[in-house]
């Protein structure tokens, strides 16, 4: 770090989601920050089930969010990473040099092993050859399909994303016959009380749940439209192609306790792109709940390095899982630090109100980081 201590640190942040935006905002007062993301709006990914059901907008102006911070937003995609030259190549023709890189390109629905992927390249899900196939990333297109007329919708996957999608769509579009197809048990990570409540609400909304039902393609689902909500895969091909060590199963960048790449320590990873773990939580799951803290942590680690200090290891433990069950019901599942469920739950309208506040607070924290970045390390659950 001594070679760059005399000048303003150049930091390139790849990805403008929860993790990347948080990292950029915290670094802005102390570094020359370039945020690379093709979108001019920050998308609340935790609201994509609402967008699929009919919410008109789940995004915020990126220009407004970054105004006054000094961050340069480059509306482009990173096409190449050269760790030896500390350079990022973009599809707009610019090459960005960095002293530190924050890799926060997030994740996407994993369609490997299905016949839904199509011919997309890299990390893009691609265009599905079965025209009735959708993922959370194509929530807007799914809503258009739902408006075109009633039919049968198969939600494939029994995790929290599938549960939220099925409940939200069934409530907003009662003319559609919604089924959930899962190879395992619905809500497998929930407590018995939590799963019972989910089943009760889905039954009330006339969602048919079929467990032990594996699906390989759209035709196998027996529906007019298929929403695939299976596992997530990190957007890691850029890192992998550049020689960074990644987890072959998930595509996440292998990092040390401070979230530095184990193979290239001048590169940090945050959010879904990082294979992060802590002693209390174990491996961190992909979620907004882990994106904001890891984004904040890499910023703090880079700042510590710039001052000649050794970055602290990430400290994190899970507290709850928040699940929307339509606009008027929900589930707040208490969990242990390692994300295993406790029996204590909050349900119904109170849970729906808590979930809404949790979602709003994620954006509030980012807006606070834009105005007063020095306060962020003291926000409970965000940390240093």
């Amino acid at each position: 770090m001594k070679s760059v201590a005399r000048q303003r640190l150049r930091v390139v942040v790849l990805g403008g989601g929860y993790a990347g935006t948080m990292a950029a905002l915290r670094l802005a007062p102390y570094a020359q920050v370039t945020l690379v993301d093709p979108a001019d709006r920050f998308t609340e990914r935790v609201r994509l089930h609402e967008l699929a059901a009919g919410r008109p907008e789940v995004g915020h102006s990126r220009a407004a969010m970054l105004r006054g911070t000094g961050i340069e937003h480059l509306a482009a995609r990173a096409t190449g990473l050269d760790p030896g030259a500390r350079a990022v190549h973009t599809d707009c023709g610019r090459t960005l040099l960095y002293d530190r890189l924050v890799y926060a390109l997030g994740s996407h629905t994993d369609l490997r092993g299905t016949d839904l992927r199509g011919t997309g390249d890299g990390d893009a899900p691609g265009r599905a050859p079965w025209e009735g196939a959708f993922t959370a990333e194509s929530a807007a297109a799914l809503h258009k399909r739902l408006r075109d007329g009633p039919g049968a919708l198969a939600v494939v996957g029994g995790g929290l994303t599938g549960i939220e999608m099925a409940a939200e769509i069934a409530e907003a579009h009662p003319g559609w016959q919604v089924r959930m197809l899962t190879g395992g048990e619905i809500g497998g990570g929930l407590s018995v009380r939590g799963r019972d409540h989910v089943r009760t609400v889905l039954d009330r909304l006339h969602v048919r749940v079929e467990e032990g039902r594996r699906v390989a393609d759209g035709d196998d689902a027996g529906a007019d439209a298929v929403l695939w909500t299976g596992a997530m895969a990190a957007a890691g091909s850029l890192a992998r192609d550049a020689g960074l060590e990644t987890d072959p199963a998930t595509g996440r960048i292998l990092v040390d306790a401070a979230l530095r790449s184990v193979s290239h320590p001048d590169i940090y990873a945050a959010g879904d792109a990082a294979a992060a773990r802590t002693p209390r939580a174990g491996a961190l799951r992909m979620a907004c709940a882990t994106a904001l803290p890891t984004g904040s942590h890499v910023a703090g680690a880079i700042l510590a390095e710039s001052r000649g200090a050794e970055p602290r290891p990430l400290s994190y433990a899970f507290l709850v899982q928040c699940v929307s069950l339509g606009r008027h019901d929900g589930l707040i599942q208490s969990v242990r630090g390692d994300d295993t469920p406790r029996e204590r739950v909050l349900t119904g309208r109170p849970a729906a109100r808590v979930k809404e506040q949790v979602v709003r607070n994620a954006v509030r924290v980012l807006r606070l980081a834009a105005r007063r970045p020095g306060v962020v390390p003291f926000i409970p659950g965000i940390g240093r």
Side-chain angles (χ1 to χ4, degrees):
M1 206 58 149
K2 292 180 181 178
S3 62
V4 297
R6 300 188 187 90
Q7 62 183 17
R8 193 165 172 80
L9 194 69
R10 299 169 300 177
V11 180
V12 174
V13 179
L14 302 183
Y18 294 99
T21 301
M22 172 58 79
L25 291 171
R26 274 207 64 194
L27 286 164
Y30 313 100
Q32 176 187 322
V33 180
T34 302
L35 177 64
V36 182
D37 191 290
D40 62 1
R41 298 186 67 76
F42 169 84
T43 297
E44 293 187 76
R45 285 191 63 177
V46 293
R47 290 195 189 274
L48 289 178
H49 58 286
E50 298 177 44
L51 182 64
R55 185 184 179 102
E57 178 62 77
V58 296
H60 306 268
S61 166
R62 198 178 299 280
M65 188 172 282
L66 301 182
R67 186 174 297 128
T69 64
I71 296 170
E72 178 192 3
H73 170 221
L74 180 61
R77 295 184 186 277
T79 56
L81 176 58
D82 185 346
R86 290 187 174 179
V88 175
H89 305 290
T90 67
D91 63 359
C92 69
R94 281 186 60 181
T95 295
L96 305 172
L97 302 180
Y98 63 83
D99 300 307
R100 291 295 179 268
L101 177 75
V102 177
Y103 193 109
L105 289 175
S107 62
H108 57 79
T109 304
D110 189 359
L111 295 178
R112 290 174 297 180
T114 76
D115 290 332
L116 302 176
R117 184 180 174 93
T119 58
D121 56 3
D123 291 309
R127 186 178 183 84
W130 197 78
E131 62 180 11
F134 302 89
T135 64
E137 293 86 355
S138 57
L142 173 57
H143 178 57
K144 181 180 183 303
R145 175 66 185 89
L146 294 173
R147 290 201 321 265
D148 286 343
L153 171 68
V155 179
V156 180
L160 302 188
T161 299
I163 290 169
E164 290 193 323
M165 282 285 190
E168 197 84 31
I169 291 170
E171 181 181 81
H173 298 272
W176 276 79
Q177 298 173 357
V178 181
R179 296 152 58 221
M180 286 194 68
L181 313 179
T182 175
E185 184 178 32
I186 188 171
L190 302 174
S191 66
V192 173
R193 290 182 62 191
R195 280 194 302 275
D196 286 348
H197 183 67
V198 167
R199 291 178 186 276
T200 297
V201 174
L202 293 178
D203 183 65
R204 187 178 70 234
L205 294 172
H206 306 293
V207 176
R208 193 172 87 198
V209 177
E210 299 179 20
E211 294 172 317
R213 178 83 153 78
R214 298 192 179 277
V215 177
D217 57 37
D219 293 330
D220 189 34
D224 300 300
V226 173
L227 173 58
W228 195 273
T229 66
M232 304 296 290
S237 66
L238 191 70
R240 186 177 61 251
D241 292 347
L244 276 70
E245 291 190 28
T246 60
D247 183 327
T250 65
R252 303 175 96 177
I253 296 173
L254 298 180
V255 295
D256 66 10
L259 303 187
R260 292 174 293 204
S261 162
V262 296
S263 58
H264 297 76
D266 54 347
I267 298 176
Y268 284 77
D272 292 357
R277 59 186 306 115
T278 68
R280 292 183 63 194
L284 302 193
R285 59 181 162 88
M286 298 181 182
C288 171
T290 54
L292 288 174
T294 55
S296 175
H297 180 83
V298 299
I302 290 171
L303 293 177
E305 273 196 297
S306 72
R307 296 161 184 160
E310 179 65 20
R312 298 180 181 182
L314 175 67
S315 176
Y316 182 84
F318 291 99
L319 181 62
V320 295
Q321 294 180 15
C322 303
V323 189
S324 293
L325 298 171
R327 291 298 81 208
H328 309 292
D329 208 323
L331 170 68
I332 307 300
Q333 171 70 67
S334 176
V335 298
R336 300 178 182 85
D338 63 357
D339 209 29
T340 55
R342 302 178 186 272
E343 280 304 310
R344 186 168 62 249
V345 298
L346 178 68
T347 62
R349 287 181 180 271
R353 288 194 289 268
V354 170
K355 170 64 187 289
E356 177 61 23
Q357 288 307 310
V358 168
V359 172
R360 290 187 183 188
N361 281 341
V363 175
R364 288 175 182 144
V365 166
L366 290 174
R367 287 177 172 157
L368 178 62
R371 300 192 310 273
R372 302 181 63 190
V375 174
V376 173
F378 304 101
I379 300 175
I382 303 299
R384 297 180 182 278

